[in-house]
Amino acid sequence: MTPILRKLLLTVLGWIVALVIAFPVIWMVLTSFKSETEAISRVPHLFAHLSLTNYVAVQERAKYLHFAWNSVIVSFGSTLLALLLAIPAAYAMAFLPTPRTRGTLLWMLSTKMMPSVGVLVPVYLLFRDAGLLDTRVGLVLVDALGILPVVVWMLYTFFKEVPREVLEAGRMDGAGPLREVYNLLLPLSMPGIVSTSLLAVILTWNEAFWSLTLTTSKAAPLTAFIASFSSPEGLFYAKLSAASTMAIAPILVLGWAGQRQLVRGLTFGAVK
Amino acid sequence: MFRHLDRVLGALLAALYLCAPATRAQTILTIATVNNGDMVVMQRLSAEFERQHPDIKLDWVVLEENILRQKTTTDAATHGGQYDVVTIGPLEAPIWGRRGWLLPLEGRLAPAYEVDDLLKPIRDAASDRGHLYALPFYAESSLTYYRKDLFAAAGLHMPAQPTYQDIARFAKALHNPAKGTYGVCLRGKPGWGENMAFVSTVVNTFGGRWFDEGWSPQLDSPEWHNAISTYVDLLQKYGPPGSSSNGFNESLTLFENGRCGMWIDATVAAGTLSDSKQSLVANTVGFAPAPTAVTPRGAQWLWFWGLGVPSATRHPEAAAAFVQWATSKEYIRLVADRYGWPAVPPGTRHSTYEQPQYLVSAPFAGLVYRSILAADPLSPTLKPVPYTGIQCIVLPAFPTIGNQVGQLIAAVLVGNMTLDDGLHKAQAATQRVVQRMGVER
């Protein structure tokens, strides 16, 4: 096989894989412009009678901006909180390990394997008694705790890539732990921190279980917005697709803009 | 310059204090509901309630049915108090009421509400031990929809009360896949609210029951065998391809696009099918009661969406005022004035069916009325049973049982399992769930 043919085949394969992965999203966007009857048609038409009617209907029914603003606050707030907690934790684990560090890391990750519904009632009761139901503060807290294991793990991996000698040199020059982290560790692992933050924002943006359970209207994010357009009786696929498109649009743009950082950060350890 | 600042601030504070009593605290009611057409209309018209009650503001939480059920159940069970009004059905109202999660409403109703105007089967389904725990917003039963043009072309005549034998005969005559017409469309998608809603009515009319008086499951009985055999035969021989993934919405789309000779499903579809803007068969659709077999008992289902007031609400009076308004004769009149009589929430009040305009504009209305009145949730089967409810029995474990049995029936339908094997497994699954979850309300 000639190198050109091989390159061509790999390119075609890459496009096919990309299309298969992107197809559900593309189909959702196309459906959002169709009528309800066309959306559920057994013989789908790719571009039949496209219009913005569903977007108008969605906008009339629900306050999109209210939900979107809540999503922004909650996803960025919980990411920030998780970073504040995870950076010192990952620093300690990477540079001051104890015999139990590995076990602690694995235990943290194991909490992600527990189904959320298993702790639904205790968390709900705690939130009720603390007055945190339907508040953005409550959702920031629970989402930050949800992504914390992933953030700690990722930061730990990135911090491990930073040569110890650099930090030791700082220490020789009289830097304390805070200065060491702020002036040396953070700038050196910035690509990793940015990709971790992007991933954390995406994860919390898409988080549905807690945001649907712990909010009603004031703090409800876009996941609740989408859930309001499904119906047991009556056609709803086109409006649901329009609502979903509106819900994923901001995070899609963010992911697009930050894809270089994201890929760089995520493949950093793998290359090594 | 700042010498008189304290006096200015003092005067401002005094002015604010004097103004304070003028701004009355507004009660905010949080209402949890589903995204059905009638509920969307209620949301639009709720400005009228706010106009009549300037001290009450409504905050809507519209959710998908299963998510709504999960959220409202969590909140009601933990007395979270997040919702002041919840949209519930015949499965929740009596169970939640008995557990003290809902306020009884009968003592809070104004005389003008005319509670006796509510249809008795619906009132019974919303009550427990004489207490009314939800006010019905709209209700439905089931009907047989058929294509009058296809019937005429095939020389068939739909009797006043069809039987499942008739349905099988008609389906055979109408089935013409080459022309894209299938004899009969029925729900096949697994789930307690999907295929099992229909299957339960077939079992009832074939003389079957879920449990005997001692709560012993009866799913391997001859009655269940006959019922499921009829259901599977109908769909396998005369149904559309992929029936096991068809729920209400999919079947509605098939019928309104002229792909089904008959369809047995919720009465709520009658309005859509008669609307020429949405349905290609608006001028040719006919209506008949749900078919029967051995007994008419439980042959047609009964469902309502009602509004209940959780006991943890901080605004019981305002919530009771709203649920009364939304389920009142006055509200039905308001919908008729704004959107026309066919758009009024059906199946709840006798007075709706006394309106000549409604009976003229909705030719199916009389049949829906009679179907609902014929449904008796307190005595749903031929043989005695320890439970109430027609297509969903009032038992906390029922959704689990219904979902598991629904999966097995769907497996029989697609041919992954024999009928005997499916019913044997369904019996064992029901037994397991009952042992694990009990039969207490």
Side-chain angles (χ1 to χ4, degrees):
Chain A
M1 193 185 287
T2 61
I4 296 173
L5 188 66
R6 208 167 78 181
K7 198 176 171 186
L8 186 75
L9 276 175
L10 280 174
T11 309
V12 170
L13 190 70
W15 272 101
I16 290 171
V17 170
L19 201 67
V20 167
I21 292 170
F23 181 75
V25 179
I26 295 169
W27 190 249
M28 180 187 75
V29 176
L30 277 174
T31 306
S32 73
F33 294 106
K34 294 179 182 174
S35 71
E36 292 292 0
T37 316
E38 281 165 356
I40 202 173
S41 167
R42 296 231 157 195
V43 189
H45 303 286
L46 208 55
F47 300 107
H49 311 298
L50 304 185
S51 82
L52 288 168
T53 317
N54 297 314
Y55 287 91
V56 175
V58 166
Q59 188 56 33
E60 274 173 5
R61 265 270 318 276
K63 300 171 197 157
Y64 169 75
L65 287 177
H66 167 76
F67 289 98
W69 181 239
N70 282 341
S71 275
V72 169
I73 301 265
V74 169
S75 53
F76 283 89
S78 52
T79 300
L80 196 67
L81 181 62
L83 282 175
L84 283 173
L85 295 169
I87 287 172
Y91 165 76
M93 287 173 177
F95 298 107
L96 309 163
T98 69
R100 293 182 192 278
T101 296
R102 187 124 196 106
T104 309
L105 274 166
L106 286 171
W107 169 77
M108 283 183 75
L109 205 61
S110 73
T111 59
K112 291 298 293 172
M113 292 164 198
M114 184 177 181
S116 300
V117 75
V119 289
L120 170 64
V121 173
V123 169
Y124 200 89
L125 290 173
L126 281 170
F127 267 57
R128 182 197 67 181
D129 295 344
L132 289 173
L133 286 174
D134 201 23
T135 62
R136 290 190 289 229
V137 173
L139 210 53
V140 164
L141 276 176
V142 82
D143 278 359
L145 292 175
I147 54 168
L148 197 56
V150 177
V151 175
V152 170
W153 257 96
M154 286 185 73
L155 290 180
Y156 170 78
T157 315
F158 293 128
F159 288 174
K160 288 284 275 183
E161 305 296 331
V162 176
R164 263 172 184 279
E165 294 74 18
V166 178
L167 299 187
E168 279 167 6
R171 227 169 286 156
M172 296 280 284
D173 287 342
L178 256 176
R179 203 170 174 76
E180 205 175 290
V181 170
Y182 188 74
N183 287 67
L184 296 170
L185 185 61
L186 293 189
L188 283 171
S189 16
M190 197 45 80
I193 292 172
V194 171
S195 63
T196 307
S197 307
L198 271 171
L199 194 72
V201 167
I202 292 168
L203 285 174
T204 48
W205 188 278
N206 293 330
E207 197 285 320
F209 182 80
W210 290 114
S211 53
L212 280 169
T213 310
L214 299 174
T215 67
T216 51
S217 56
K218 288 195 280 291
L222 283 167
T223 39
F225 169 79
I226 297 173
S228 67
F229 286 94
S230 177
S231 168
E233 287 179 344
L235 301 179
F236 61 88
Y237 286 118
K239 284 187 203 69
L240 183 64
S241 298
S244 303
T245 305
M246 288 165 81
I248 64 161
I251 205 71
L252 212 62
V253 171
L254 186 73
W256 195 276
Q259 62 174 318
R260 192 181 293 269
Q261 289 285 3
L262 195 63
V263 173
R264 191 177 156 198
L266 288 174
T267 54
F268 193 52
V271 173
K272 187 165 166 69
Chain B
M1 183 181 170
F2 297 104
R3 212 173 54 184
H4 301 297
L5 190 62
D6 53 344
R7 288 183 192 174
V8 173
L9 281 174
L12 271 173
L13 281 172
L16 279 174
Y17 178 77
L18 286 171
C19 287
T23 53
R24 290 170 63 191
Q26 204 173 34
T27 301
I28 297 173
L29 288 183
T30 304
I31 300 160
T33 190
V34 288
N35 178 32
N36 287 355
D38 289 299
M39 273 65 174
V40 173
V41 170
M42 170 168 65
Q43 203 178 338
R44 281 194 204 130
L45 294 178
S46 61
E48 181 62 24
F49 175 80
E50 288 176 320
R51 196 185 59 74
Q52 289 173 14
H53 300 80
D55 53 338
I56 301 176
K57 187 181 175 300
L58 305 177
D59 201 1
W60 293 88
V61 179
V62 184
L63 288 168
E64 190 271 330
E65 181 181 351
N66 292 324
I67 297 171
L68 177 98
R69 196 167 273 126
Q70 180 211 312
K71 284 186 71 164
T72 51
T73 307
T74 307
D75 193 61
T78 57
H79 295 277
Q82 285 211 79
Y83 305 103
D84 301 296
V85 175
V86 286
T87 303
I88 48 177
L91 194 61
E92 292 90 8
I95 296 175
W96 292 15
R98 185 172 290 195
R99 293 182 177 196
W101 299 354
L102 295 171
L103 292 180
L105 295 168
E106 65 278 359
R108 296 173 186 273
L109 303 176
Y113 183 73
E114 293 183 36
V115 71
D116 290 336
D117 188 38
L118 298 175
L119 271 60
K120 187 176 178 299
I122 306 294
R123 233 182 327 150
D124 287 343
S127 304
D128 182 63
R129 296 175 176 174
H131 294 296
L132 184 61
Y133 288 107
L135 299 183
F137 180 70
Y138 81 79
E140 66 178 34
S141 183
S142 49
L143 288 181
T144 304
Y145 301 102
Y146 66 99
R147 290 274 302 281
K148 288 191 282 190
D149 55 332
L150 297 182
F151 265 63
L156 302 172
H157 170 71
M158 178 63 83
Q161 174 55 68
T163 64
Y164 275 96
Q165 263 187 336
D166 295 328
I167 297 295
R169 187 163 50 87
F170 297 154
K172 188 178 178 184
L174 300 173
H175 193 59
N176 192 349
K179 285 192 173 175
T181 311
Y182 306 98
V184 63
C185 295
L186 301 170
R187 295 186 187 192
K189 190 191 276 183
W192 71 270
E194 288 284 5
N195 63 346
M196 292 317 293
F198 175 72
V199 166
S200 296
T201 62
V202 185
V203 169
N204 290 339
T205 194
F206 272 85
R209 53 187 174 167
W210 280 91
F211 296 97
D212 68 8
E213 299 100 306
W215 285 105
S216 178
Q218 300 293 304
L219 280 80
D220 53 1
S221 62
E223 292 87 358
W224 266 81
H225 194 282
N226 292 341
I228 305 304
S229 164
T230 302
Y231 164 73
V232 169
D233 269 1
L234 278 173
L235 277 181
Q236 281 182 346
K237 288 182 184 166
Y238 316 120
S243 283
S244 62
S245 57
N246 288 348
F248 173 85
N249 287 326
E250 292 81 4
S251 303
L252 173 69
T253 309
L254 281 169
F255 194 91
E256 69 184 9
N257 283 297
R259 312 296 290 274
C260 311
M262 291 176 292
W263 177 35
I264 306 160
D265 214 300
T267 53
V268 76
T272 312
L273 292 179
S274 308
D275 180 0
S276 55
K277 285 183 200 144
Q278 301 179 65
S279 166
L280 297 177
V281 296
N283 297 321
T284 56
V285 61
F287 309 96
T292 56
V294 177
T295 173
R297 282 198 181 178
Q300 65 276 76
W301 72 59
L302 186 73
W303 178 265
F304 72 84
W305 277 117
L307 301 174
V309 179
S311 49
T313 177
R314 277 164 290 173
H315 313 293
E317 298 309 322
F322 175 76
V323 298
Q324 281 185 79
W325 174 81
T327 59
S328 65
K329 285 162 79 173
E330 176 201 351
Y331 173 79
I332 289 170
R333 172 70 67 175
L334 181 67
V335 177
D337 289 346
R338 298 276 176 90
Y339 298 101
W341 275 100
V344 301
T348 56
R349 288 181 168 272
H350 291 287
S351 53
T352 305
Y353 295 91
E354 287 161 5
Q355 298 294 332
Q357 306 99 308
Y358 184 48
L359 298 178
V360 169
S361 59
F364 46 83
L367 193 54
V368 172
Y369 182 58
R370 286 193 295 277
S371 294
I372 291 176
L373 286 178
D376 184 0
L378 303 182
S379 178
T381 51
L382 185 63
K383 294 177 185 169
V385 286
Y387 56 82
T388 60
I390 297 173
Q391 83 283 14
C392 63
I393 65 176
V394 182
L395 192 70
F398 183 71
T400 312
I401 294 171
N403 287 339
Q404 289 190 17
V405 175
Q407 292 281 358
L408 291 163
I409 303 285
V412 174
L413 179 62
V414 296
N416 287 347
M417 206 179 278
T418 64
L419 176 59
D420 288 335
D421 203 16
L423 288 180
H424 180 67
K425 285 185 172 156
Q427 168 81 2
T430 308
Q431 187 74 56
R432 267 198 311 274
V433 176
V434 166
Q435 276 169 358
R436 205 176 67 229
M437 297 178 72
V439 292
E440 287 299 312
R441 271 192 180 181

